[in-house]
Amino acid sequence: MRYLTFALAKGRLAEKTMELLESIGFSCDEMKEKSRKLIFTNEDLKLKFFLSKASDVPTYVEYGVADIGVVGKDTLLEEKRNLYEVLNLGFGKCRMVVAGPEEMKDTLKSGQNFRVATKYPNIAKEYFYYNKKQTIEIIKLNGSVELAPIVGLSEVIVDIVETGSTLKENGLVVLEEICPISARMVVNRVSMKIEYNRITDLIDKMNKIINNE
Ligand code: PRP
């Protein structure tokens, strides 16, 4: 039997996913030991798991080196890979928003040109250019995006907000909501055919757990 391979976004999302998988019998003892290893296997069940940076999960799954991926909807929207999104896992909940200083609220509506700093240039483009038909300048950053409006690199940011404390502690507010975010399970298009039984069985079991059936 071939391995069923999972690409997980390393960190909390991978830990939560493993808890969920374990509850339906897809375990991996090797993964519980603290280490810096990136690949783990369960030889009995022929399962393989690897840990990658969140933004690379869709890439591993699209190229078929992983059959299944678990990653945030934010990453899926940004990476725009050709995958089947099969499950909303319900955890990793946060919101994609436009945030900035309170006084930017009117500028946002005015249609004036302004700068948007973000780790998510595709999401920002989609939102401002195609949904709102606004011409704005997008500045790609790689983290700590809240810094940009404070130091004057941009007027607003597009970012995820979970508890809201990062915004609050930096004197910023949510100006507009873009969409809700949570962890999703994605499947490679070919894997869905060649591993149809194993994958649909997995989806059914996960669905039952998620919906408390
Ligand atoms: C994320 C996000 C916000 C923060 C939101 O950043 O980009 O900065 O978390 O969380 P909160 O609403 O609970 O405060 P992350 O911690 O991933 O770091 P990064 O900005 O360096 O990518």
Side-chain angles (χ1 to χ4, degrees):
M1 189 162 51
R2 78 188 270 287
Y3 284 101
L4 192 63
T5 304
F6 294 75
L8 307 178
K10 66 179 167 201
R12 257 176 57 84
L13 227 50
E15 283 166 26
K16 283 264 201 186
T17 305
M18 288 315 293
E19 276 173 32
L20 197 59
L21 285 172
E22 207 156 87
S23 64
I24 56 166
F26 287 67
S27 60
C28 185
D29 290 340
E30 205 189 3
M31 222 163 160
K32 289 180 186 153
E33 295 154 25
K34 214 174 155 48
S35 77
R36 300 207 35 103
K37 273 179 73 164
L38 298 172
I39 305 180
F40 307 88
T41 49
N42 178 329
E43 294 298 340
D44 299 332
L45 299 176
K46 283 284 177 206
L47 301 174
K48 198 177 281 182
F49 299 89
F50 52 77
L51 299 176
S52 82
K53 205 175 148 69
S55 50
D56 296 332
V57 167
T59 314
Y60 284 108
V61 180
E62 189 187 59
Y63 280 86
V65 286
D67 302 296
I68 296 169
V70 174
V71 71
K73 180 71 178 175
D74 54 330
T75 305
L76 294 177
L77 290 170
E78 183 59 28
E79 297 300 319
K80 298 201 258 191
R81 294 284 177 176
N82 187 10
L83 312 162
Y84 287 124
E85 185 182 317
V86 295
L87 269 182
N88 182 348
L89 300 177
F91 53 78
K93 275 194 186 148
C94 52
R95 299 175 294 156
M96 184 64 67
V97 305
V98 182
E102 182 93 58
E103 55 273 21
M104 271 305 294
K105 220 160 205 163
D106 294 333
T107 316
L108 265 187
K109 288 198 195 96
S110 71
Q112 260 175 269
N113 198 343
F114 51 85
R115 286 169 303 181
V116 180
T118 186
K119 287 184 283 189
Y120 303 96
N122 287 328
I123 295 177
K125 216 179 286 174
E126 190 86 19
Y127 181 70
F128 284 106
Y129 296 175
Y130 303 113
N131 296 7
K132 300 192 65 181
K133 312 260 183 282
Q134 262 177 315
T135 39
I136 46 120
E137 188 181 336
I138 294 169
I139 302 173
K140 164 84 200 289
L141 290 178
N142 296 297
S144 302
V145 179
E146 291 82 358
L147 191 58
I150 302 172
V151 298
L153 178 65
S154 71
E155 279 73 32
V156 297
I157 61 173
V158 163
D159 201 11
I160 48 172
V161 175
E162 191 183 351
T163 62
S165 53
T166 312
L167 287 183
K168 201 167 168 209
E169 286 178 31
N170 290 290
L172 306 172
V173 297
V174 171
L175 299 166
E176 288 175 2
E177 304 260 345
I178 300 181
C179 61
I181 302 291
S182 58
R184 308 295 162 102
M185 194 168 104
V186 290
V187 176
N188 171 273
R189 291 190 172 267
V190 176
S191 303
M192 197 59 162
K193 295 197 178 79
I194 59 173
E195 288 287 355
Y196 183 79
N197 290 335
R198 282 168 99 191
I199 293 175
T200 47
D201 174 61
L202 169 70
I203 296 171
D204 287 348
K205 286 180 176 155
M206 295 269 264
N207 246 328
K208 286 203 175 94
I209 293 270
I210 295 164
N211 301 316
N212 290 318
E213 282 169 22

